[in-house]
Amino acid sequence: MTLGLPHYDTMTPLTQKSTLLSVHAEQVDTFARRHQLWKRGETLVLGLSGGQDSTAMLLILAALRDVCGLQLHALHLHHGIRGQEADEDAEYSRILCKAHDIPFHLHYASIPDLKRTLRVGTQEAARIERHRVLREVMRAVGATRIALAHTRDDRVETILFNIMRGSGPTGATGLNPRHGAIIRPLLEFTRPKTLQVCTEQEIAPRTDSSNSDPHYTRNRIRTELLPGIRAYYNSSVDDALIRFADVLQAEDEFVGSIARETFSHCADVREDYVKIPNVNLQAQPLAIQRRLVRLALEQMAGSLVDVPFSSVTNALTAIAERTSFGEDLPARPGAPLLRILVKTDGLYVVPQVSQSIVQKQCDWQTAVAVPGATRLPSGEVIVTVVAPPGKSLLETLREATSDTQNFQFLAVNCLKADGGLLARSGRPGDKISCFGMRGTKSVKEILRQAGVPPNLRSSVPIITTANGRILIAGTYAFSLDCSPLLPTSTGNSQQVIGVVVVPKGL
């Protein structure tokens, strides 16, 4: 099986290859400094598909590793489709990482099953799972950034795709160099340039056959729409779209800052609803009104959700006409079910299922069986094990959970568990000494960054020692008193307890 990695007996001299790569690395370093993509000493998780873009990103960041003081990890997601081709992609990625001394993480998923569960398309299901696993690995290795290999071409295609979907100004700006924990170091590179990087290093990257499948809209934009525009309308359409997006992004950020400032003064944010008085909405220009409604939805959802334009328009029309209004928003993967209400005193965003409001108010605490499985009132199950002689803790945990969901397996020192472990509902003021971070961090803030809506945060189970020290916050964070169990983990299994939180419904 030929995987496209270089044959070292026929390579271009190492010094020449290093010089060629340093030119590209310098461009990425300048771009990273301009957009503040990372700080010295940070750990990055690289999304590695094995294609030319992600291969070029790995080569360049490996070259910058010492200069920028970076720690690198790479994740490859095997989608469970494309058979042998996908197996070869994974093997290529593993060998590439080994050649550049980068820890390699491989995750297997069944995208066909996931798309049926989420009721979304293949590419959307793959994107959702990819981001979920990237964040999981980021937490496990104590990383602070996720690096994706999107290029300038990807941004152009995204701009067109979002405009055709009828997006607002935020979506029409396309991909950004930095969005939360996600960074895109190659956003100034074109696809021909990423291929050039690979060619100069004598590496033949993998080619995903699904990228030419005309059933996917993005592929048709790449292979049909853009070539047609370049040929018949504007040969420089890529430059024009990037310029349009850059101008729009600056104006979008300015208007967005005004809307956020206004929201902070007029919105009444509670755990089970967000309210904006009608009088405050009507006092603003229409552009700000729309953003205020979206901010209210974002506050309840924990992250910005894809809201139908008609829902926002109908709500604002009802306020203008002084009529009542109520509409359930469409279900979105990973987002809570929300409802927009217009009453005489204001616009409300509330959960669709009122039972969740009642459930979150129930404070509970229970002892955790060690070893054993403890089902919690919140629906999760805590599985703990003690490794028998001759067997590793990771192997024991995998057997206890069937290892079907790629859970976060943790080791807790027996001394920390002396006196027993407790599980309870979340409480205001909960703080945890996060693994891989200095000091303590608010559990509420961790859950907010993870996209958990306010009305569900108190139902995330908290695992503590007998004296109340927080060890684990659901599936979202674990403390310095825990350590992730990886296939490479070593140590005395007899001195630690294995712990895994199984999400509800699994």
Side-chain angles (χ1 to χ4, degrees):
M1 178 171 63
T2 302
L3 295 177
L5 293 175
H7 298 286
Y8 291 97
D9 56 341
T10 61
M11 286 172 60
T12 301
L14 183 61
T15 54
Q16 182 179 343
K17 291 173 62 178
S18 177
T19 301
L20 292 170
L21 188 59
S22 67
V23 174
H24 305 300
E26 184 177 350
Q27 181 181 347
V28 169
D29 186 37
T30 301
F31 180 77
R33 290 173 186 273
R34 184 165 72 247
H35 295 283
Q36 299 180 333
L37 298 191
W38 56 65
K39 297 178 182 178
R40 185 173 185 83
E42 285 193 296
T43 300
L44 312 182
V45 177
L46 283 54
L48 179 63
S49 68
Q52 65 183 60
D53 297 340
S54 62
T55 296
M57 180 178 71
L58 183 143
L59 294 172
I60 291 171
L61 292 183
L64 287 172
R65 178 168 39 190
D66 293 337
V67 175
C68 298
L70 299 174
Q71 300 293 323
L72 304 179
H73 288 254
L75 167 74
H76 179 85
L77 176 63
H78 190 301
H79 296 86
I81 51 181
R82 297 189 296 113
Q84 182 180 351
E85 182 182 325
D87 295 337
E88 293 179 358
D89 290 350
E91 181 64 8
Y92 164 92
S93 299
R94 184 190 67 78
I95 295 174
L96 182 67
C97 287
K98 183 177 180 181
H100 291 84
D101 195 25
I102 295 175
F104 177 64
H105 304 263
L106 176 62
H107 175 79
Y108 288 90
S110 175
I111 298 304
D113 291 341
L114 189 63
K115 64 180 284 191
R116 285 191 293 270
T117 300
L118 298 179
R119 298 180 181 179
V120 296
T122 299
Q123 290 191 325
E124 178 65 8
R127 186 192 68 80
I128 291 171
E129 181 67 0
R130 187 162 54 247
H131 280 257
R132 185 189 72 79
V133 180
L134 280 165
R135 292 185 181 278
E136 187 175 87
V137 173
M138 182 178 73
R139 291 193 297 268
V141 302
T144 48
R145 295 282 187 267
I146 294 169
L148 302 181
H150 291 122
T151 64
R152 189 175 190 269
D153 301 83
D154 291 310
R155 189 183 181 196
V156 169
E157 293 160 11
T158 301
I159 292 167
L160 272 179
F161 181 78
N162 287 346
I163 289 174
M164 291 190 297
R165 291 174 63 237
S167 73
T170 302
T173 62
L175 304 171
N176 295 320
R178 186 181 66 177
H179 182 72
I182 294 174
I183 58 173
R184 298 181 172 93
L186 301 190
L187 211 52
E188 283 189 337
F189 281 40
T190 61
R191 289 200 187 100
K193 187 162 186 175
T194 61
L195 182 58
Q196 177 188 346
V197 173
C198 298
T199 302
E200 290 172 351
Q201 302 304 305
E202 296 184 346
I203 293 179
R206 301 290 299 167
T207 299
D208 186 342
S209 59
S210 66
N211 286 338
S212 58
D213 188 339
H215 289 94
Y216 299 125
T217 302
R218 287 183 179 270
N219 291 348
R220 294 197 301 275
I221 290 174
R222 181 187 314 120
T223 60
E224 299 174 11
L225 180 58
L226 276 168
I229 296 175
R230 294 182 190 119
Y232 298 107
Y233 299 98
N234 183 355
S235 60
S236 302
V237 64
D238 297 62
D239 294 335
L241 285 170
I242 292 293
R243 186 168 59 251
F244 160 78
D246 286 343
V247 171
L248 190 61
Q249 181 176 356
E251 297 185 1
D252 181 51
E253 290 174 354
F254 173 68
V255 177
S257 66
I258 295 174
R260 287 190 293 274
E261 179 67 18
T262 304
F263 183 84
S264 67
H265 292 303
C266 72
D268 181 10
V269 179
R270 305 292 181 93
E271 277 200 89
D272 50 359
Y273 70 83
V274 174
K275 172 191 173 184
I276 304 177
N278 293 338
V279 64
N280 295 106
L281 274 168
Q282 291 182 297
Q284 301 300 321
L286 181 58
I288 301 298
Q289 290 183 32
R290 289 170 176 161
R291 288 174 181 265
L292 290 175
V293 176
R294 290 179 63 81
L295 285 169
L297 291 162
E298 180 180 1
Q299 187 71 33
M300 280 300 294
S303 61
L304 191 58
V305 293
D306 191 4
V307 183
F309 181 75
S310 60
S311 300
V312 177
T313 299
N314 292 340
L316 293 175
T317 299
I319 292 173
E321 296 177 353
R322 299 189 178 186
T323 59
S324 60
F325 171 80
E327 182 176 310
D328 289 338
L329 297 179
R332 302 290 179 184
L337 298 173
L338 298 178
R339 180 174 178 80
I340 298 179
L341 295 173
V342 172
K343 299 182 179 181
T344 56
D345 61 335
L347 178 143
Y348 292 77
V349 177
V350 300
Q352 284 187 30
V353 185
S354 59
Q355 182 62 30
S356 64
I357 301 174
V358 177
Q359 186 177 14
K360 73 169 182 59
Q361 295 173 340
C362 301
D363 190 27
W364 55 267
Q365 178 171 298
T366 186
V368 176
V370 181
T374 306
R375 183 168 295 279
L376 306 179
S378 56
E380 289 85 352
V381 177
I382 300 176
V383 178
T384 63
V385 299
V386 176
K391 183 177 289 188
S392 73
L393 197 62
L394 179 59
E395 182 183 2
T396 308
L397 264 179
R398 281 179 166 170
E399 289 181 356
T401 60
S402 301
D403 192 25
T404 57
Q405 301 292 331
N406 195 31
F407 300 126
Q408 174 66 72
F409 298 113
L410 300 173
V412 178
N413 191 293
C414 287
L415 295 177
K416 299 295 181 182
D418 188 28
L421 299 178
L422 297 175
R424 61 169 173 80
S425 55
R427 298 169 185 168
D430 277 343
K431 291 186 177 182
I432 185 171
S433 56
C434 285
F435 182 85
M437 295 177 60
R438 294 179 179 178
T440 61
K441 189 169 184 179
S442 163
V443 172
K444 176 182 177 181
E445 178 63 15
I446 291 172
L447 299 182
R448 186 193 69 79
Q449 292 179 350
V452 180
N455 61 299
L456 297 180
R457 290 171 192 164
S458 62
S459 64
V460 172
I462 304 296
I463 303 174
T464 75
T465 61
N467 64 4
R469 184 179 176 86
I470 296 179
L471 298 174
I472 303 169
T475 57
Y476 301 97
F478 53 93
S479 77
L480 294 169
D481 297 316
C482 307
S483 59
L485 280 173
L486 302 172
T488 55
S489 297
T490 59
N492 189 341
S493 296
Q494 308 309 309
Q495 295 179 356
V496 293
I497 296 169
V499 180
V500 60
V501 179
V502 180
K504 55 187 174 183
L506 300 180

